[in-house]
Amino acid sequence: MKQILLILALLLAPLAATAQEETVVAGLSQNEVSITANFNGSEILIFGAVQRYTPVPEGNPLEVIITIEGPDRPVTVRRMDRRYGIWMNTEAVEVDAAPTFYAVATTNPFREVISDTEDLRHRISIPRAIRAVGTETYHQRDFTEAVIRIRTGEDLYQVLEGAVILRNETLFNTSFRMPANLVEGDYTARIFLTRGREVVSSYETAITVRKVGLERMIYTLAHERPLVYGLLSLAIAIAAGWLASAVFRYIRMG
């Protein structure tokens, strides 16, 4: 009896795998970004296909959302007001965790491809990706919008509506421009398939951003051996001053 049940389970396994009608098969042009002394940004191409075991579902068209998220960091946002004739910090909010980089690309306008409920569940839009809980100010939304506005201006937050190209509801691709001011760490790329503004499948992969070469050495020295880094910086400054003085003295004598 047990053998019969085992055989039936093996025969039914492929059928169980087809329960999810559409799944994502994707790849990246690069899974690692190296920050060097002359690093001025990088472009990442994300491409993929929708794997199906059944015909293309009828009704609502397929939509694709792709995001890249950098490491979360707490952020303190301060508001300046004019008091007693001078500008000063009057209020501050600690944002618990905000992505250091966040980009979202879609096949169509964002609100047409996903519902608010699904956005909240998966934290896809930029405001949903920022966690600002436990603050005591009544202007929490203003401070969150300030973070988004500042980082959008620095090209660290990007909304690319219509940037995902989808062909025959099967093949898709897009590209992201990673700016030069990236923070080192582990980044996450996510892909969502939606129909009728509901998520039907998702996929996730990692991107590593690391300093290499001279940048890596300076960063490691500054963070792991700050005393040595400070003494070395002082020695370089003294040597540069002495060299400049010697050059000027030689020029005057000449």
Side-chain angles (χ1 to χ4, degrees), residues 7 15 42 60 122 129 174:
I7 293 172
L15 297 177
S42 179
N60 296 310
H122 297 280
T174 191

Side-chain angles (χ1 to χ4, degrees), residues 186-200:
D186 295 325
Y187 288 58
T188 302
R190 297 185 297 166
I191 301 173
F192 299 92
L193 304 181
T194 69
R195 285 189 183 276
R197 302 175 70 208
E198 302 294 320
V199 174
V200 297

Side-chain angles (χ1 to χ4, degrees), residues 30-84:
Q30 55 180 328
N31 291 88
E32 184 171 338
V33 176
S34 299
I35 300 178
T36 60
N38 58 352
F39 178 74
N40 62 354
S42 179
E43 186 176 50
I44 293 182
L45 172 65
I46 298 180
F47 52 90
V50 181
Q51 186 178 46
R52 298 185 180 91
Y53 299 96
T54 59
V56 177
E58 297 180 356
N60 296 310
L62 181 72
E63 304 285 358
V64 181
I65 305 172
I66 304 176
T67 70
I68 296 182
E69 181 176 2
D72 286 342
R73 296 287 188 273
V75 181
T76 300
V77 186
R78 294 180 173 85
R79 168 178 289 169
M80 295 187 68
D81 285 327
R82 191 176 181 86
R83 300 286 178 85
Y84 311 110

Side-chain angles (χ1 to χ4, degrees), residues 19 22 49 74 76 81 99 123 125 144 155 161 180 206 220 222 253:
E22 298 173 302
T76 300
D81 285 327
R123 295 179 54 245
S125 65
T144 301
D155 209 24
E161 294 181 317
T220 302
M253 292 177 62

Side-chain angles (χ1 to χ4, degrees), residues 192-214:
F192 299 92
L193 304 181
T194 69
R195 285 189 183 276
R197 302 175 70 208
E198 302 294 320
V199 174
V200 297
S201 182
S202 63
Y203 174 88
E204 182 175 310
T205 188
I207 302 172
T208 302
V209 177
R210 291 285 183 269
K211 293 181 174 70
V212 297
L214 181 62

Side-chain angles (χ1 to χ4, degrees), residues 154-168:
E154 297 173 345
D155 209 24
L156 290 172
Y157 286 175
Q158 305 171 15
V159 178
L160 309 171
E161 294 181 317
V164 179
I165 300 173
L166 177 63
R167 299 177 179 85
N168 300 321

